[in-house]
Amino acid sequence: MRLDGGWSFRQIGTSEWLPATVPGTVHTDLFANGRTADPFLANNEFDLQWIEQKGWEYRTEFIAGSDLLKNDEVELEFEGLDTYADVYLNYRLILSANNMFRSWRVLCKDDLREGQNELRIVFHSPIGRGQQKLESLPFLIPTSNEPKPIGLQTSVHTRKAQYHYGWDWGPRLVTSGVWRPVTLRGWSDVKLRDVFYQLNELTETAARYTAHLELESTVSQTVELALYIVGESWPGVSKTVTAEPGVNTFSIDFEIENPKLWWPNGFGEQFLYKIKADVIKEGAALDSIEERIGVRTVELVREPDDHGTSFEFHINGIPIFMKGANYIPA
């Protein structure tokens, strides 16, 4: 289940809790509660720089029922924590995060109670943590995006969106928060963690792939891995494997005949195949992942020319002019 309701937040060191939106950020939560002015209006940006210097705490409560706790494993998944965060479940530290861009998954069945549980996330000042890293080095790594004086430019030391620290035409809003969903889920027997579709060869008549499947098992067991395209007459492929306790990786080769290609905008259709991967035991699907993939090749071409060496991309063998624009996320 998604834990996206009932959140509140406060500045660390204060006692007042305010309603919070998750996913979200501390800047938007402060604005929604009328505690700050619109950061994009006039020069308000400069009056909000204190936020980055503070720590912030988020909390929520949720119910864990007996059906959930009957599973072999129960896990919390944090798809995005920005950035230096300590996570507590029922007052026990279960995770220390330090990277905005990755997800985090924690097995937590032993820390759950049947009934009401509390989840707290303490975000440390990204500037404070970044300054500690900066001062620990015997040399300076220069940055061009931060307007701060030399010796206070911390962005390069933190796995965090760099536009948060300001840009030549973008505001400096170094925020914190639960910026992607939090999910609580239980599973038993086996869990299909990931599927990666690797294109090995593409011709006019066939796209030859290898599917790499990562699954986690609670016991040693024999299961069937099956792949098929949703809505297509393709019969699919399957493979019987033995999964050992822990994380296992298996590969399955398959082929799409007469594939419909994916093309960039203006060159053709952006056709996507919907492929489903199942883990089957005794005729029953234990878990599955459904993804959409586009059949296409991407090639960087470097060849000598009159000016030195070319640098161009070919999509499905066709040279594509790479148009673009500079955009700071809203």
Side-chain angles (χ1 to χ4, degrees), residues 80-84 97-104 159-160:
L81 298 174
D82 183 12
T83 292
Y84 298 105
N98 61 0
N99 188 330
M100 171 184 177
F101 302 112
R102 58 160 291 182
S103 61
W104 308 84
R159 298 294 186 186
K160 180 174 173 63

Side-chain angles (χ1 to χ4, degrees), residues 4-8 20 59-61:
D4 53 7
W7 287 87
S8 58
R59 74 177 182 186
T60 190
E61 293 180 343

Side-chain angles (χ1 to χ4, degrees), residues 202-208 232 234 255-261 271 273 295:
L202 178 60
T203 68
E204 291 184 359
T205 59
R208 298 180 177 88
E232 300 278 340
W234 184 58
E255 183 176 300
I256 301 176
E257 296 182 354
N258 302 314
K260 301 175 185 178
L261 301 185
F271 184 85
Y273 286 93
V295 178

